[in-house]
Amino acid sequence: MTVDILRLATLLDDAARNATAVAQISATETLTLEEAYEVQRQSIERRLARGERRIGMKMGFTSRAKMEQMGVNDLIWGRLTHAMIAEDGGTISRKRFVHPRVEPEVAFLLRKPLSGIVTAVQAMDAVEAVAPALEIIDSRYQNFRFSLTDVVADNSSSSALTIGPWNSPHQPLDNLGMTVMVNGRAQSFGSTAAILGDPVRSLVAAARLVAMSGEVLEAGHIVMAGGATAAFELHVGMHVQLEVERLGRTSFMVAE
């Protein structure tokens, strides 16, 4: 049975735009991973047609535990647009999301195009700067339940992000302490080592994966390296702040 890619892309785009949950696609249809990425691509194309701009990509399943949980042996990725960026230190409306969660990350800013099989040195040569970042993930599926193909089709749950100060990339990034505070109290502690042992490895993987789809990460694009700790739910009234050793802070407030 032929999968109606456009129908599924429209379904997920509308769910994200209207902050409404939908049933898992995998409950009624079987998608290959390639078809799931095509649903994602066409869904994002609808956003671009409305005036959004592509600004990079996010990486997912960047921990071995998550890969094992989902039964996969590779990372997944999603596309970022400029409308996903929230002001650092600003306010985010809870109404924009279905059931949002947040996780601490590291963001890379590219100074030149990157794509294909590259070494860590080659990947970092393309980097202009690195920054602390918070990513809001928001599966559009009911009860935050999904299969591998479900989540890929749903843009790998990417929804919003804040980015702190940009720093020189010419420093070790493999074991920086990370502290997440909620309303002034410690919520979680972690290390950039939780991102594949070194966030640079996530950047290397990003170059490989984007090339497999025939794309290129352009100069000025942002790559979100993946969550360093478990994501936690967001509620109205929360002030969330991430501090990354040597890189600085980023934060946001959740309003109605």
Side-chain angles (χ1 to χ4, degrees):
M1 186 176 187
T2 304
V3 175
D4 189 340
I5 300 292
L6 180 57
R7 179 181 64 81
L8 297 178
T10 302
L11 172 74
L12 291 172
D13 176 50
D14 287 345
R17 188 157 50 100
N18 300 317
T20 55
V22 296
Q24 287 181 253
I25 293 172
S26 60
T28 56
E29 302 192 50
T30 300
L31 272 70
T32 65
L33 189 58
E34 290 72 21
E35 288 171 334
Y37 273 114
E38 182 60 17
V39 171
Q40 178 192 129
R41 186 189 71 77
Q42 291 196 25
S43 180
I44 296 301
E45 282 296 324
R46 289 173 59 84
R47 301 190 191 193
L48 302 184
R50 293 195 297 268
E52 295 185 32
R53 291 180 288 102
R54 178 81 179 275
I55 61 164
M57 69 186 290
K58 62 79 56 86
M59 300 296 288
F61 296 177
T62 50
S63 73
R64 178 56 58 185
K66 190 63 176 181
M67 286 187 199
E68 292 175 353
Q69 177 187 343
M70 297 299 294
V72 298
N73 57 11
D74 204 355
L75 287 71
I76 62 171
W77 62 283
R79 294 164 166 88
L80 302 177
T81 74
H82 84 284
M84 297 179 186
I85 293 185
E87 180 184 1
D88 181 24
T91 300
I92 294 176
S93 172
R94 172 66 177 75
K95 294 178 181 177
R96 289 177 51 190
F97 312 99
V98 181
H99 27 221
R101 304 183 181 191
V102 64
E103 56 190 19
E105 304 203 11
V106 169
F108 294 99
L109 176 64
L110 300 185
R111 67 180 184 87
K112 65 181 183 179
L114 182 64
S115 182
I117 304 300
V118 297
T119 65
V121 172
Q122 290 170 326
M124 288 305 293
D125 182 58
V127 174
E128 174 73 25
V130 61
L134 287 163
E135 183 185 10
I136 297 175
I137 57 175
D138 183 31
S139 170
R140 268 59 67 159
Y141 299 112
Q142 294 167 0
N143 302 315
F144 213 94
R145 298 185 63 180
F146 44 78
S147 68
L148 172 63
T149 53
D150 286 329
V151 68
V152 167
D154 190 28
N155 199 33
S156 297
S157 299
S158 189
S159 298
L161 60 142
T162 66
I163 298 175
W166 291 108
N167 298 264
S168 168
H170 304 299
Q171 57 178 304
L173 301 173
D174 59 336
N175 191 25
L176 302 180
M178 308 178 81
T179 303
V180 180
M181 308 286 288
V182 174
N183 296 338
R185 296 186 177 183
Q187 169 73 26
S188 60
F189 300 95
S191 166
T192 55
I195 307 171
L196 298 179
D198 186 334
V200 177
R201 291 176 183 152
S202 183
L203 183 63
V204 169
R208 171 176 58 83
L209 291 172
V210 79
M212 289 172 62
S213 290
E215 298 185 14
V216 175
L217 290 165
E218 304 289 353
H221 272 188
I222 294 165
V223 177
M224 297 285 282
T229 70
F232 60 90
E233 294 183 23
L234 290 176
H235 302 285
V236 173
M238 280 185 169
H239 178 266
V240 181
Q241 176 181 282
L242 166 67
E243 181 167 3
V244 181
E245 181 183 358
R246 298 205 307 269
L247 298 186
R249 302 173 179 175
T250 184
S251 66
F252 63 86
M253 184 79 185
V254 184
E256 291 187 7

